Amino acid sequence: MNEVIVAILRSGTPLIYVTMAGVIAQRAGVWHLGLEGLMITGACATIVGIMLTGSVPLALLIAIILCVLGSILLWFVVEKLRANPIIAGLGLTGLGIGGTALAVQSIFGSQAAVNAPFGLPRLGPAFGPYGVLSIFVLLMPFVVLGMWVLLRRTRFGLQLAAAGEHPFAARGVGVDPARMRLAALAIGGVLCAIGGAELAAGSLQIFAQNMTAGRGFMAFAAVIFGGAHPFGAALAALFFAVVGAIGIRAQLVFGDRVPHDLLLALPYLATVFGVWVSGKLRGGAKAAAVNAELRDY
């Protein structure tokens, strides 16, 4: 049982950090499909930074700077060049995947996996001999709570919601929607860097090409499934992590009796299912609202 809990925390923590980046972007009115690119950039920068500098804090700083710069680039393309945010986000994802592969090839002369001598600071074995977790796992619940407070209980959160939902009205009361979106995307860049760092250096200390394997898109799906609410999105991301952990456990229990590819596909099938359920629920709520208006009329 402890091994399952550890597997859920290890796979769910980086996903939740990136999901929070998607939540704050969605709150600002940006459909952030660049999460995958920023996450893999943070993972690569952390491992390469540890190898080149020998310092975890410096490597994390490099990862954060690169992810924030990527977020600023997305903001510039969307706000100043008036590009479609969905296409721009997909372009940022392609830039992150291709750019990290090019960086590893240029620095190390090979496209093989890169191993760091050490990773993020870790906690003690909270769940037995297999329960060594990084410090970002402990901080994750506080980050989710802090995101809820920021978006729901602060002036900044109210201005961000106004900029995302009613930009013309927000501009009329002195709130600059473009500036609010820039702040939201920059904060999201920091969270994506932490999520990528946790994925690559939290328990493995390794970076391989395309190691995010669609987790950024899972995070985007969790934002939709959770209604762009910090708690709901975090629970959705945790649900995807639970499904992934069940798939890993099933491989150990059933072995070759169940197709290996099917077990690996379980988190992605759960992602599709979550988006479908979210669409059904929203469609039902909208239909109920329309029927209520017709009855009142």
Side-chain angles (χ1 to χ4, degrees):
M1 185 63 182
N2 288 347
E3 293 89 340
V4 176
I5 295 175
V6 170
I8 293 172
L9 291 176
R10 283 177 176 170
S11 61
T13 297
L15 191 60
I16 289 176
Y17 276 106
V18 180
T19 299
M20 292 300 103
V23 167
I24 193 171
Q26 186 80 0
R27 192 73 169 170
V30 179
W31 291 69
H32 201 336
L33 283 172
L35 297 173
E36 178 86 359
L38 294 179
M39 187 181 190
I40 196 169
T41 299
C44 179
T46 300
I47 294 299
V48 174
I50 290 174
M51 294 188 65
L52 296 181
T53 66
S55 169
V56 172
L58 192 55
L60 281 174
L61 179 61
I62 294 172
I64 289 172
I65 290 174
L66 290 177
C67 288
V68 170
L69 288 176
S71 300
I72 294 174
L73 175 61
L74 176 63
W75 172 84
F76 178 79
V77 171
V78 171
E79 289 292 331
K80 301 302 181 182
L81 302 183
R82 301 299 179 184
N84 184 293
I86 295 178
I87 296 175
L90 291 174
L92 180 60
T93 290
L95 178 62
I97 294 174
T100 52
L102 178 61
V104 170
Q105 174 69 36
S106 301
I107 295 173
F108 301 103
S110 172
Q111 294 184 353
V114 179
N115 292 276
F118 49 87
L120 299 174
R122 297 178 182 178
L123 308 171
F127 296 96
Y130 301 101
V132 179
L133 302 170
S134 86
I135 191 171
F136 284 130
V137 177
L138 176 64
L139 295 177
M140 179 263 294
F142 300 100
V143 171
V144 175
L145 178 61
M147 183 62 66
W148 177 80
V149 172
L150 178 67
L151 296 181
R152 302 284 176 165
R153 292 294 184 269
T154 66
R155 182 183 181 88
F156 174 82
L158 294 176
Q159 292 177 343
L160 197 65
E165 297 175 10
H166 307 287
F168 295 105
R171 196 176 288 110
V173 296
V175 176
D176 186 356
R179 187 177 300 175
M180 298 303 296
R181 292 189 186 108
L182 175 60
L185 290 174
I187 294 172
V190 175
L191 293 170
C192 285
I194 295 175
E198 170 62 26
L199 177 67
S203 59
L204 298 175
Q205 301 123 49
I206 188 173
F207 173 78
Q209 291 187 36
N210 200 28
M211 73 176 301
T212 49
R215 287 178 175 85
F217 295 110
M218 280 188 191
F220 180 75
V223 174
I224 298 174
F225 194 17
H229 191 285
F231 293 152
L235 288 175
L238 197 61
F239 167 71
F240 297 151
V242 168
V243 174
I246 291 174
I248 294 173
R249 186 67 178 174
Q251 293 180 48
L252 299 176
V253 174
F254 297 107
D256 296 333
R257 287 175 288 174
V258 179
H260 180 69
D261 293 335
L262 175 62
L263 297 177
L264 290 178
L266 284 178
Y268 307 99
L269 294 175
T271 302
V272 175
F273 174 76
V275 174
W276 177 77
V277 169
S278 177
K280 285 291 185 181
L281 292 176
R282 289 189 178 186
K286 186 178 293 185
V290 171
N291 291 333
E293 290 181 2
L294 291 176
R295 283 196 302 270
D296 294 339
Y297 180 76

